[in-house]
Amino acid sequence: MAKYVAWMAAFFFLSPLTPGILHRVKARLLARRGPSLFQPYRDAWKLLHKGMVIPESATFLYTFGPIVAFASYWVLGYLHPPFSTSAASMTSGADVVLIAYLLGLARFMMALAVLDVGAPFGAMGSSRQFFFQALAEPTFFIALSTLIARNHTSNVHSFSTRQEGMHLEVGLLLALFALVIVFLAEGGRLPFDSPETHLELTMAEGGPALSYSGPLLLLLEWGNAMRLTFFLLFLAHVSAIILSPVPVDRWTRLWFWGVEGFIFLTLVVLLGVLEVHIGKLRLKRVVAPFALALILAITSVLLM
Amino acid sequence: MKDASWVITLLFGVLTVGFVVGTIVPRRFPTRRALNVLTRVSLVSVGLGGLLGTWLGAEVLFFRSTPLRLSIWPTPSPAASQGQVVIPFLPLDFYADRLTGLFLLIVGFFTLILAVYSWGWLARDPRRHWVAGAFNFFVLALFLTLLVNGAFWLLLALELVTLASSYLMLYRSEGTRNERVQEAGRVAVRTYLVISHISIAFLLTAFLLLGLRAQTVAAQAPVFSFDTYRHFFRTGAQVPHTGMDSVIFLLLLLGLSIRAGMIPFHFWVPIAHPELPTNTHAMMSAIMLKIPVYLMIRLLLELFPPQAWWWGGILLLLAGGTALLTVFYALVSPDLKRALAYHSAENIGIIMAGLGFALLFQYQTKEGVMFGQLTQLALIAALYHTVNHATFKTLLFMGTGSFERRTGTVVFKELGGLLRLYPWTAVPFLVGALSIVGLPPFNGFVSEWLTLQTIFAGGQALRQVASPALLVLTVVTLLALGAAFALTAVAFVKIVSETLLGPPAAVRSRYRGSWAMHGTMVLLALLCVVLGMAPFLLLPALQRAIQGLTETPSPVHATSMTLMVRLSEQDGLAYHASISLIPTLLLVGTVMLVGGIVWRALARARVSDTVWAGGEPFVPRKMHYSGTAFSFLIWEVMARDPEHIKPDHPLPAYYRVTETRAVPELVNRWYNRLILLTLQTSEWVGNFVQGGDIRRYLIYIFATFLVVLLATLLLRQ
């Protein structure tokens, strides 16, 4: 119990470090010095002390959107096992399918919030997010079914690590690649959506954020940081499961979490490299990477 | 036994009285006050009928160890019928086991809710007595369908359902002089009657063949009694599989899937359903479409269990296709009632996916205990979704009805801004929308999760029996359902935004609704939350309902905190999964905490300003982002220029989404061709074959005579 509380608190407070590191990496790759690692916290502090401007046409749904999005992104953290447990509880209810539903809840309430106001920027961005979701969701479920078939459970807390003498799991690797593409789309990263710009022609994620100011914007930004952290952590966890041996005693367990942390940092750097080197795809072109992800996912099911 | 017969008699008696009071008596007393009283009496009787049905269902489901049997017209004993002509199918007997009990409970409870709702909804309707009376008849037919224990009476009851609902379908076209509305009504009634009769024809053929098949085993068995089938096919092993069985299965499947509105027969649902008055539209879309689900479990799992692997496979393909295709057309529907009717077909697809897996697993049960458990899991998923869909769809229709009363329309373009105008109706409607999308604290999530678990666990089990075709089938179903779930979300963002949000609709009526309407809606909204957060309340009922079908212990366990699916290693498959209240409570707690803080901050200092739209002044009527624009990226794939689509008759050939774009309804176009061909053929028959010329008929007689003569000669030799 205490471990879960500590983990959820750590997930909440440390998440903004991920975009901090990411910005630093990207700046370095472009030969700039870049902001401090703690810049997201400073931005948060600034936003917290600003006022909120509420549009005249707004109902309660407008304020409800960012709050629900924030809450569901935080609860995503529950779907990663806390650091010190290895014997997972079967009834913890940390089902992988919940990832899709929590993201769906956040997206749905944000869509209602921006349509409540009615300004075109937010609604257009939200509409694009739903387009991505419609393309990503089947792939997501199929890739998850590979993960589930391998672990004999859909409970993340009971995912088992590599057994002795197991050969390299090719199916799982393919599923992992499919998940990477799905998460890039769901997380609003390049090449699907460019997180840095606020140009209405390119944005999906940025659109809804334009309707908000002050503490409500803070909720959105912090939520996005938590979502990004969760995606990378989840990928790191699954990769660590493939690579590292069974944690039996304290030292192997420590080794396991060390491997996972290392993969996590590598993924942050890789994301930075990716975002510096590629541009955003035209809206209709995103079908191609989704098709690739779908093929990978289906192949992974058949290979498992 | 005695008390049950009393309940059943009272049930049918009350409903008949309500029907007579609502439709026949008003002809003698057409004054306004008399109509008010008669409507009230009729509604009380339908409510009473619902209550009795609920009671009967609960009694059969929870308090009875053996199925309820009741003979109204018993089969004459062989000794007594010596020398008399015995009509083989006439004996009428009722049979209710726990499965029937569950469905009686569903029909009864929602009838009761809708009767209370109609108290307010019908209050000012000019044809209130008539709707109330027909509602009685409709419910009576539904109960009869659930209770009968023989094919002949089942077909008769289905005919009564058809009759009752097509009678109600006259509602819109009778109340108007608008020719287009009248034409739409005529098309609806005609389509519905034709399609029901085609379905009945398939079912009748299937039952005839089934009876003959049963008679090959025991010659004296009554052909049409379900007991005969129950006795011969349930034991399975003695009856060798023949090709005829597959034909019977296909006929049954066709007949039932037409009634359930599955592809490619879904087209009648959005044409026929919206013509009903909205209170009974709820009954038809949310409850009546569940009758084929019940019949499918009864016929295909209990009486005539699957004998080839592809039986379940074909149902799965149909289910996946139904979910995907209908949700797409829901997205482009021009009005609320039609969109919700399409969504009913979509949810039937999700339920049928569960049933398809149940058939698949039932066939595989010889492979081990795990398949027995998986059958249970699949059935529980399907039944949970059945209950959920009944709840949230009834809620959504009640919301639609309330909006319709105030604004006088259900067309999306004329609605909007109702969240501000009528929060007591709009907030429950919103809860219904969140439930149907399947978002976590609400009930749709639980049944979608169970369906997904069926696929995940089932895929793993089918992997063990090493059959690639089944594995591919599983992946295809997952693909279709995943896409359907995602599109449901888009469709409901559109529906909610076009009705509840945006610039306000014109209010045509000062009627603000009554306690009956608000109360029932709030009740169902609460039920959505309860079924979503406390599955342990419903699960035992579902497990009892399917106890008669499989003997294996149930793999689904519920406590007040968790819902768990668990198959153990010694049964052949190690698998477990769970959802619990912990993440849900974290979610709800965070929303309440943060929401409270934000609300207090807003109460202290709230700055309102005009909507920011990139520097331009924001004009709500002109610039508000519409739901159609919101879903553009999805429907645009299928959109054409309406000029290029040939206007087609009689089914709507396309939906006009904007001024310049239209989405063709492909299946309807195909049917239109079929209908036109039929018309041409019958015209040819009328003009040429039956020309009215006496010489022609003499030739026919002569030709027939020759053919018979030749046939006799040839057969003799």
Side-chain angles (χ1 to χ4, degrees), chain B residues 625-670:
Chain B
Y625 209 73
S626 71
T628 310
F630 187 87
S631 50
F632 166 78
L633 285 167
I634 312 279
W635 57 255
E636 190 241 359
V637 185
M638 291 276 288
R640 309 262 181 289
D641 195 335
E643 311 253 310
H644 294 170
I645 306 174
K646 239 179 25 198
D648 231 353
H649 213 64
L651 307 177
Y654 59 82
Y655 294 115
R656 191 176 270 251
V657 195
T658 64
E659 292 291 315
T660 52
R661 306 301 279 166
V663 173
E665 171 43 295
L666 299 171
V667 182
N668 281 4
R669 289 169 68 75
W670 192 72

Side-chain angles (χ1 to χ4, degrees), chain A residues 53-58 72 74 90-93 95 101 115 118 123 127 130 145 148 152-154 158 284 301 304, chain B residues 420 438 448-449 453 456 460 463 479 493 562 574-578 580 587 590 607-609 611 624-625 630 636:
Chain A
V53 183
I54 309 290
E56 278 159 358
S57 59
S72 18
W74 180 54
M90 274 168 122
T91 55
S92 63
D95 200 283
Y101 282 91
L115 283 165
S127 150
F130 272 93
S145 81
I148 292 167
H152 298 283
T153 174
S154 64
S158 324
K284 297 287 172 55
V301 171
M304 268 305 284
Chain B
R420 279 159 177 276
E448 282 187 11
W449 180 77
Q453 288 306 327
F456 291 147
Q460 227 167 305
R463 206 185 282 279
L479 189 74
V493 171
T562 54
Y575 185 84
H576 70 92
S578 62
S580 91
L587 188 76
T590 319
V607 186
S608 278
D609 205 343
V611 177
H624 194 278
Y625 209 73
F630 187 87
E636 190 241 359

Side-chain angles (χ1 to χ4, degrees), chain A residues 135-149:
Chain A
L135 291 171
E137 193 121 312
T139 312
F140 191 42
F141 283 141
I142 293 172
L144 285 184
S145 81
T146 309
L147 261 183
I148 292 167

Side-chain angles (χ1 to χ4, degrees), chain A residues 107-127:
Chain A
R107 201 182 296 113
F108 193 82
M109 293 311 287
M110 277 309 291
L112 292 190
V114 291
L115 283 165
D116 183 29
V117 178
F121 289 137
M124 196 191 294
S126 181
S127 150

Side-chain angles (χ1 to χ4, degrees), chain B residues 69-130:
Chain B
R69 278 175 183 282
L70 191 65
S71 279
I72 309 293
W73 296 328
T75 322
S77 63
S81 60
Q82 283 288 319
Q84 291 176 12
V85 180
V86 178
I87 305 171
F89 42 73
L90 208 57
L92 169 63
D93 52 342
F94 288 152
Y95 174 88
D97 61 0
R98 288 171 177 168
L99 182 69
T100 326
L102 179 72
F103 279 86
L104 283 173
L105 202 62
I106 296 174
V107 174
F109 177 72
F110 288 100
T111 303
L112 181 62
I113 293 278
L114 281 168
V116 177
Y117 176 82
S118 304
W119 192 274
W121 194 79
L122 283 177
R124 298 189 177 187
D125 196 291
R127 276 153 299 149
R128 50 194 176 277
H129 54 286
W130 176 72

Side-chain angles (χ1 to χ4, degrees), chain A residues 51-68:
Chain A
M52 283 178 278
V53 183
I54 309 290
E56 278 159 358
S57 59
T59 63
F60 73 94
L61 282 176
Y62 171 78
T63 36
F64 219 56
I67 295 171
V68 174

Side-chain angles (χ1 to χ4, degrees), chain B residues 253-464:
Chain B
L253 184 71
L254 271 173
L256 291 176
S257 56
I258 288 174
R259 286 218 153 241
M262 291 169 72
I263 57 158
F265 316 110
H266 67 278
F267 67 96
W268 69 269
V269 175
I271 291 174
H273 283 205
E275 293 297 320
L276 273 85
T278 309
N279 59 343
T280 42
H281 185 184
M283 200 66 204
M284 194 171 180
S285 269
I287 314 296
M288 192 198 84
L289 285 182
K290 304 294 156 43
I291 297 291
V293 173
Y294 164 76
L295 290 177
M296 224 174 244
I297 299 177
R298 168 74 71 219
L299 292 171
L300 298 183
L301 274 164
E302 193 203 343
L303 301 183
F304 188 53
Q307 296 169 32
W309 68 268
W310 56 266
W311 290 18
I314 222 168
L315 184 57
L316 272 184
L317 284 181
L318 283 182
T322 306
L324 198 55
L325 199 70
T326 49
V327 75
F328 178 77
Y329 283 113
L331 203 63
V332 294
S333 300
D335 67 72
L336 197 47
K337 286 178 81 168
R338 192 177 282 257
L340 290 180
Y342 267 122
H343 275 293
S344 299
E346 183 228 341
N347 280 283
I348 286 291
I350 298 174
I351 294 170
M352 290 298 175
L355 285 191
F357 275 109
L359 282 186
L360 214 55
F361 299 148
Q362 179 87 328
Y363 173 68
Q364 300 277 6
T365 34
K366 58 183 182 299
E367 300 279 341
V369 185
M370 60 172 174
F371 280 106
Q373 297 200 347
L374 285 169
T375 314
Q376 290 238 347
L377 174 61
L379 275 175
I380 286 174
L383 288 178
Y384 209 113
H385 201 73
T386 305
V387 174
N388 282 349
H389 179 244
T391 313
F392 53 63
K393 194 47 77 66
T394 309
L395 175 59
L396 287 169
F397 273 116
M398 295 193 322
T400 308
S402 301
F403 296 145
E404 189 188 9
R405 275 285 175 255
R406 288 145 191 181
T407 57
T409 179
V410 285
V411 179
F412 283 131
K413 273 187 189 146
E414 297 167 27
L415 291 171
L418 297 171
L419 184 60
R420 279 159 177 276
L421 293 174
Y422 310 109
W424 277 100
T425 311
V427 172
F429 187 84
L430 189 63
V431 170
L434 287 164
S435 307
I436 197 172
V437 176
L439 295 174
F442 301 102
N443 60 359
F445 169 66
V446 179
S447 47
E448 282 187 11
W449 180 77
L450 281 169
T451 310
L452 286 172
Q453 288 306 327
T454 308
I455 304 179
F456 291 147
Q460 227 167 305
L462 293 174
R463 206 185 282 279
Q464 287 189 5

